[in-house]
Amino acid sequence: MPLAVYILGLSVFALGTSEFMLSGLLPAVADDMHVSIPRAGLLISAFAVGMVVGAPLLAVATLRLPRRTTLIALIGVFGLGQIAGALAPNYAVLFVSRVVSALACAGFWAVGAAVAVAMVPVNARARALAVMIGGLSIANVLGVPAGAFLGESLGWRSAFWAVGAASAVALVGVATLIPRIPLPAEKPRLRNELRIYRDRQVWLTISLIAFSAGGVFCAFSYLAPLLTDVAGLDEGWVPAVLALFGIGALIGTTIGGRIADAHLFGVLLSGIAASTVLLVTLALLAQYAVAAAALAFLLGVSAFYTAPALNARLFNVATAAPTLAAATTTAAFNLGNTGGPWIGGAAIDAGLGFASPAWAGAALTVAAGVLTAISLRLYRRGASSRVVTRAAPRIETGAAAVTEFGAEVGAEIRADKNTHHSAN
């Protein structure tokens, strides 16, 4: 695995911490901003909306720009967004800062994922994406609980300052350790990349990603009030339970990333089914603190166990357009991250209690399982990616495109190393 992939994973740590840390800060933010917890939860949806909109827009806008320069600019804007959030005088400014940060985060994910996939052979796609997702998992293990701890100890704004500092470290890493990434020999054309949206398998995959992510984060977004108000845990235990979710996410990402390339649909079906069972169990046993904590850990495992396969599936059906495939994957996940918290908040506002988002999440993951089964049926009937096949007849699985681009990147990296050694 190229070093650049691991640097991207480390950068994602800062991005992921910002995206999910509000799950442990909602009560404090709601009190300080004088809004209800469901309204504070919309800050999570605001970030997700920015990701949905920003991923395709920035992928298109940067399609022909140098990739390292693009990554540097995006991580810089993201860091400034964290500073704006830390200084926000009211809810409206905080909301806008979340959207701006999300736009930059979305662009970084889209460009970074395309680079990661392009640098490895087709049978290592899920592993490369698992490294990036691993940064997200570590964010859940360390960053999100640390943010909750800082929020409890020094106020919620300190968590934003900490992510701003982490973003600065990531900026230095990207600028100094990622080599110059060459664009493909043939410059990408937007018309050709947009052709992937004529393929029903692409839309089916977008839908199942959105429902799968939405189901998990419908419940996760309101995990803090569930733990304190339903399970009866002291607020000081919330960071520990969030860390359990993150540890589960890291374990799930590791396992899923290693087997998804060989058993993609098996991972999807088993992981989504497990998430459904866990969400139903969480809704039933939410009043028991030990059960809630254990289920949070297991939900982290099941949710992130499927993540590498969900990413790889969309790259497989949209292989003729790797940049837009990365952007579309990001947008699909965040469609779920937008809808999930909104649905969970609506259930709470309806007076159904803080356990109700788990029931709603289970309904969403059931829909994701049905869509996965339909996708598998079409795949077995040979109805996969007909538009992509016509667009690129010799690379139905994307191996040729990835190998060619990976060879260019490898040659560029070797050239940089040779120049460095000669200088020494």
Side-chain angles (χ1 to χ4, degrees):
M1 200 62 59
L3 175 62
V5 176
Y6 291 100
I7 299 302
L8 293 171
L10 290 174
S11 301
V12 167
F13 169 78
L15 305 179
T17 298
S18 178
E19 183 172 4
F20 299 121
M21 69 181 181
L22 278 182
S23 298
L25 300 173
L26 282 186
V29 172
D31 287 343
D32 189 33
M33 294 295 176
H34 307 292
V35 298
S36 66
I37 285 181
R39 192 178 179 199
L42 291 179
L43 293 168
I44 300 174
S45 294
F47 197 98
V49 168
M51 294 280 285
V52 171
V53 175
L57 287 181
L58 287 170
V60 169
T62 62
L63 200 58
R64 299 190 178 188
L65 297 180
R67 298 182 181 224
R68 183 175 64 178
T69 303
T70 300
L71 292 174
I72 291 171
L74 291 170
I75 196 69
V77 171
F78 175 82
L80 292 175
Q82 302 310 298
I83 295 173
L87 297 173
N90 54 51
Y91 179 84
V93 174
L94 180 58
F95 192 95
V96 172
S97 75
R98 295 293 287 170
V99 174
V100 171
S101 297
L103 291 172
C105 180
F108 192 97
W109 263 106
V111 177
V115 169
V117 167
M119 293 178 66
V120 298
V122 68
N123 62 353
R125 278 179 174 176
R127 284 184 60 202
L129 291 167
V131 171
M132 288 191 67
I133 298 169
L136 193 61
S137 302
I138 295 172
N140 280 289
V141 174
L142 299 177
V144 174
F149 176 79
L150 286 173
E152 186 73 21
S153 305
L154 302 174
W156 65 267
R157 296 176 189 273
S158 64
F160 280 78
W161 284 114
V163 175
S167 303
V169 174
L171 174 62
V172 172
V174 171
T176 59
L177 298 177
I178 290 186
R180 183 173 67 87
I181 306 296
L183 290 170
E186 181 180 349
K187 290 186 177 180
R189 296 181 179 179
L190 181 58
R191 172 184 281 184
N192 291 341
E193 296 228 348
L194 288 174
R195 193 176 297 174
I196 64 171
Y197 297 120
R198 292 162 51 193
D199 182 9
R200 61 180 173 178
Q201 278 282 39
V202 169
W203 287 106
L204 195 57
T205 305
I206 291 171
S207 299
L208 75 89
I209 290 174
F211 277 105
S212 177
V216 172
F217 287 100
C218 180
F220 178 77
S221 297
Y222 299 97
L223 188 58
L226 180 144
L227 292 171
T228 55
D229 289 23
V230 181
L233 280 175
D234 185 84
E235 288 184 356
W237 284 100
V238 172
V241 178
L242 293 176
L244 281 177
F245 179 90
I247 293 170
L250 185 58
I251 294 171
T253 301
T254 303
I255 297 172
R258 289 189 176 278
I259 65 177
D261 285 306
H263 306 285
L264 191 144
F265 279 104
V267 169
L268 290 178
L269 290 170
S270 60
I272 291 171
S275 293
T276 303
V277 172
L278 291 169
L279 286 167
V280 170
T281 307
L282 178 62
L284 294 172
L285 303 180
Q287 68 269 32
Y288 302 107
V290 174
L295 289 166
F297 165 75
L298 294 173
L299 187 61
V301 175
S302 66
F304 281 78
Y305 166 73
T306 60
L310 289 168
N311 277 273
R313 177 60 184 158
L314 194 46
F315 273 100
N316 288 346
V317 298
T319 190
T323 304
L324 275 185
T328 302
T329 303
T330 301
F333 271 105
N334 284 280
L335 279 172
N337 293 350
T338 303
W342 180 82
I343 292 172
I348 295 171
D349 280 338
L352 300 177
F354 287 118
S356 59
W359 285 114
L364 293 173
T365 55
V366 166
V370 172
L371 292 170
T372 303
I374 295 171
S375 182
L376 175 59
R377 181 179 178 84
L378 291 175
Y379 173 76
R380 285 176 172 172
R381 288 171 52 188
S384 176
S385 301
R386 292 174 306 197
V387 172
V388 172
T389 303
R390 287 199 297 270
R394 294 189 61 251
I395 53 172
E396 185 174 353
T397 63
V402 173
T403 302
E404 178 183 354
F405 187 38
E408 293 179 14
V409 173
E412 185 69 30
I413 294 173
R414 287 193 296 273
D416 287 348
K417 287 183 178 179
N418 290 337
T419 302
H420 177 72
H421 290 317
S422 297
N424 288 340

